[in-house]
Each structure stands twice: as C-alpha cells, then as structure tokens.
C-alpha cells in the first residue's frame, strides 16, 4: 500500500462539520484531508500521501498555469444503511483518468493507485460522508496537472496528482425538477481529433461563456451540437450526456466519438432493458429531435452525470424555437431509471453487476 496517512491535528470541529453536513450544497466545503502523489522523470510516481488539506505552493511558471495541461475526475462515495461507505464503479473513473492523462501527454497513474488514493482519502475523511438516504454523498475530485516551471511548449517533465473531497447534498432539494436547455449553434465543445472525449479542465474553460449565454436566454444549461448548418447533430449538455425515450420504447443516446463517455450514461444503458427500453446509440440530428419532441414521438428527454445522476429535460429553446417536452414534467421512465440507479448507489437496491465497491 504505497499511500500512507497522516491525520490532521486540527480537523474541523464536530459541531461545524455537522452544520455543514446538514446543508452541504455542492462543492462549497472541503474535508480535512487530501491525497497527493508526484511524478518525476527519474523514478516515476512517488510520495504517495494522505495528509491534512493545505494549499499548494506553486511556481508562477508551472505549465498548468500557462497551457492548461490538466485532467480531472468526479465520483461519489455513498453511506449505505448498514453504515458502510461505498464507491460506485470507481474502476471506470480510474481507467478514464489514465486515458485523459495520456491524451494530454501527462504520465498515466496506474488505476490501482488511483483507486487506493480515493479509498484511503475516504477512510481518512469517513466522518464527512453524509448519512444514508436523501441522495447525499461525499464527492471526490481527483486532478492531475503539469507542475514543471518551464515556458516552452512541450509536455511537463513533472506532474502532481491530488484528490480532494467535498460533501454533496441532494442535487435537487425539494424534489426533482426538469431543466431547460439552450441548443447552441454558435459554440461547439469538441471536434474530431480534439479532447471532447476526455475530462480536462480546458474543455470546461471553453464552455463557461456558452453556459452564461444559455442562462441569458432563460435556460439552465447549454446543449452542444456539431456538424454543418443544414445537418446539425446533438452532442451533449457539456457536463452531462443526453438521452431520449421514444413512444415506441427506445432509448436514444448520441454515439461515442467527440462526447465524454460518461459512467452514468453507460450504467443507464445497461439498466434500460430492465425498464423495457431498447438502447440505440446513434447520430441524432437536431431536426429529427425537434420534430420528435413536437410530434410526441420523443416522450422524455434527460441528461446523465455523476453530480445529478439523472436530470429530466422538460423544455428546449434555440434560435427560432421554444418547446416543451411531453407534459413539461419529469417523465415516468426517466424517474424510474433514476430511482433504480440511485437505489444501487445508495445500497437500497441489490447490486447484481458488481458496480458497488465497499471502502470502509
Ligand atoms: C463528467 C462529464 C460527463 C458525465 O460523466 P459521468 O461519468 O457520468 O459523471 C458528461 N460530460 C462531460 C463533458 C463530463 O465532463
């Protein structure tokens, strides 16, 4: 076990922690510890530590600050009814993290070290995992970045890996609500041969303005498209993958390529047959999508991602259209899939696929 743990001598007082856990929101508070490791050219990965959370001391010339050589992951630990703490498919995040690093010419962290870092951090911060139920969890955020101070454009010779943790409340407080998407034709998030299919900070840097414009249009999030003007196809919502349910029992989702291969997307696709849905990974043109929503051939639309699990999409707008999906309320099949998946994650529905990994 390369990671050694040094516990904090000044953890947050219990009363403060309890107050935070009663209303954590998302990404606002951090736990008492972090996991870190360094990569150096002679010797590779080293310095595997779980230790008190503290700021990095960083040279202003560090590569990540200039050229954005950085990748990340996002996964959750849930407390089950028996008090145990469990991760959901962390092997998928470990593999994707290494693929993301490879694409950005960063050294790959072996998946077993990723898994150990996450597990040891969860153990050190076990008291930060919210109580069972209510969809609350401990959100884990692994990152890796170029740490060498050097202004030439080439891959950094050194790299830092770090995992921080942040308690997360139910994504929808006060019941699941549908969101409205702004279908943008002005911005794209990915191109063939680009970085759309990995999780890197740079993808998000380019998405913030599009997200702001979606909000100015009265929408909650942006929906990206690609392709020529007369044949735009749907990509994803930028932090979530897209799914449509049709009146004749199909589940459509854009095929992999330039989109992010989501763990939630993959899991929903596997559960779909138990809900009487035939999965079709395919190209979905904006034209057929809009026509389907208008005619009622598409009955439900939702988005998938670790943070919100399944988010119903109940309205859509873009240049020249403003549409309601179905009845304008979260769809029954989307909600059934959501309950099923969350049930497995929270340990209330039997895990027949070996998706849940107990940590402590
Ligand atoms: C992380 C992410 C998703 C969702 O992936 P999950 O593994 O389900 O959390 C979707 N799109 C983008 C761009 C992402 O970064």
């Amino acid at each position: 076990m390369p990671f050694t743990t040094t516990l904090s001598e000044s953890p947050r007082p219990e009363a403060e922690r309890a107050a935070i856990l009663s209303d954590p929101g998302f990404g606002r508070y951090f736990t008492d510890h972090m996991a870190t490791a360094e990569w150096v050219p002679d010797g590779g990965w080293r310095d595997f530590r779980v230790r008190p959370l503290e700021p990095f001391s960083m040279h202003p010339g560090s590569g990540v600050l200039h050229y954005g050589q950085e990748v990340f992951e996002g996964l959750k630990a849930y407390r089950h009814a028996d008090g145990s703490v469990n991760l959901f498919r962390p092997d998928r995040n470990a593999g994707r993290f290494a693929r993301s690093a490879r694409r950005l010419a960063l050294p790959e962290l072996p998946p077993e070290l990723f898994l150990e870092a996450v597990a040891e951090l969860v153990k050190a911060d076990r008291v930060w995992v919210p109580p069972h139920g209510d969809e609350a969890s401990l959100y884990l955020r692994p990152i890796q970045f170029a740490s060498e101070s050097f202004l030439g454009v080439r891959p950094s010779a050194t790299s830092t890996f770090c995992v921080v943790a942040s308690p997360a409340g139910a994504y929808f407080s006060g019941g699941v609500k549908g969101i409205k998407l702004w279908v943008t034709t002005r911005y794209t998030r990915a191109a063939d041969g680009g970085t759309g299919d990995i999780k890197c900070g740079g993808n998000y840097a380019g998405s913030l303005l599009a997200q702001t414009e979606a909000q100015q249009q009265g929408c909650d999030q942006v929906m990206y498209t690609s392709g020529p003007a007369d044949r735009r196809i749907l990509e994803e919502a930028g932090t979530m993958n897209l799914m449509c349910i049709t009146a004749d029992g199909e589940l459509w989702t854009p095929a992999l390529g330039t989109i992010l291969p989501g763990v939630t997307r993959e899991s929903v696709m596997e559960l779909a047959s138990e809900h009487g849905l035939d999965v079709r990974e395919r190209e979905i043109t904006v034209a057929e999508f809009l026509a389907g929503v208008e005619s009622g051939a598409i009955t439900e639309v939702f988005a998938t991602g670790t943070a919100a699990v399944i988010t119903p999409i109940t309205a859509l707008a873009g240049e020249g259209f403003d549409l309601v999906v179905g009845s304008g309320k979260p769809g029954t099949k989307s909600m059934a899939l959501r309950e099923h998946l969350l049930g497995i994650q929270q340990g209330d529905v039997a895990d027949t696929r070996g998706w849940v990994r107990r940590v402590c």
Side-chain angles (χ1 to χ4, degrees):
M1 284 226 313
F3 281 87
T4 56
T5 297
T6 308
L7 291 178
S8 171
E9 283 171 9
S10 53
R12 209 184 266 269
E14 198 177 328
E16 268 183 45
R17 194 182 64 235
I20 289 169
L21 290 183
S22 71
D23 181 23
F26 182 79
R28 288 191 288 152
Y29 303 100
F30 292 91
T31 59
D32 297 312
H33 301 93
M34 62 186 192
T36 54
E38 304 289 333
W39 195 88
V40 291
D42 49 345
W45 289 105
R46 63 168 200 199
D47 278 354
F48 304 98
R49 291 192 284 161
V50 172
R51 58 194 174 104
L53 180 75
E54 65 171 353
F56 286 123
S57 155
M58 188 181 259
H59 192 287
S62 296
V64 64
L65 300 178
H66 300 263
Y67 309 123
Q69 196 187 359
E70 186 264 358
V71 298
F72 70 96
E73 266 303 325
L75 67 165
K76 283 175 169 176
Y78 286 93
R79 194 178 291 282
H80 288 190
D82 64 1
S84 67
V85 179
N86 300 266
L87 296 164
F88 182 73
R89 309 189 79 178
D91 53 305
R92 312 303 290 158
N93 300 91
R96 191 169 66 189
F97 193 65
R99 281 198 303 281
S100 296
R102 188 184 319 149
R103 176 63 182 82
L104 287 204
L106 284 164
E108 288 172 45
L109 182 70
E112 60 276 14
L113 290 174
F114 176 102
L115 293 170
E116 193 188 316
V118 168
E120 294 306 308
L121 179 63
V122 168
K123 284 181 201 165
D125 281 328
R126 184 186 173 129
V127 293
W128 282 95
V129 183
H132 173 70
D134 292 339
E135 303 180 12
S137 62
L138 184 65
Y139 182 80
L140 297 149
R141 170 53 64 82
I143 59 171
Q144 187 187 329
F145 57 87
S147 55
E148 186 191 4
S149 136
F150 175 71
L151 297 183
V153 178
R154 61 147 169 77
S156 174
T158 60
S159 181
T160 299
F161 166 69
C162 175
V163 191
V164 291
S166 174
Y171 193 84
F172 299 96
S173 48
V176 177
K177 284 188 280 292
I179 64 165
K180 183 172 186 178
L181 292 185
W182 174 255
V183 182
T184 182
T185 46
R186 170 187 278 208
Y187 301 106
T188 56
R189 67 170 290 283
D192 285 341
T195 56
D197 61 342
I198 62 153
K199 245 176 144 65
C200 65
N203 288 345
Y204 280 78
S207 77
L208 299 175
L209 187 61
Q211 172 64 18
T212 304
E213 289 197 8
Q215 280 160 349
Q216 282 163 354
Q217 298 288 345
C219 295
D220 301 289
Q221 287 209 22
V222 58
M223 175 71 219
Y224 289 100
T225 60
S226 62
D230 58 346
R231 200 171 185 286
R232 298 294 286 188
I233 61 166
L234 294 174
E235 291 262 323
E236 63 164 295
T239 65
M240 294 188 284
N241 295 114
L242 182 78
M243 309 237 163
C244 309
I245 295 176
T246 66
D248 53 5
E250 290 186 348
L251 180 81
W252 295 357
T253 194
L256 297 182
T258 51
I259 64 168
L260 197 283
V263 180
T264 321
R265 170 187 182 275
E266 185 189 342
S267 305
V268 165
M269 285 165 60
E270 284 190 47
L271 296 181
S273 65
E274 289 182 35
H275 294 254
L277 295 167
D278 281 328
V279 177
R280 301 270 184 272
E281 274 183 281
R282 70 203 267 305
E283 203 171 83
I284 307 170
T285 67
V286 173
E288 75 175 320
F289 178 65
L290 296 180
V293 168
E294 246 173 333
S295 73
I298 292 174
T299 51
E300 300 182 28
V301 181
F302 62 92
T304 63
T306 295
V309 188
I310 283 179
T311 304
I313 293 161
T314 48
L316 303 149
E319 294 301 342
F321 63 89
D322 199 336
L323 288 176
V324 168
V325 181
S327 64
K329 300 219 165 53
T332 51
K333 290 185 173 140
S334 317
M335 290 302 283
L337 280 163
R338 188 173 192 280
E339 293 240 316
H340 191 170
L341 187 53
L342 260 164
I344 296 171
Q345 292 171 335
Q346 300 191 109
D348 300 326
V349 171
D351 170 32
T352 57
R353 295 172 179 81
W355 284 351
V356 171
R357 180 178 298 213
R358 183 175 173 154
V359 173
C360 55

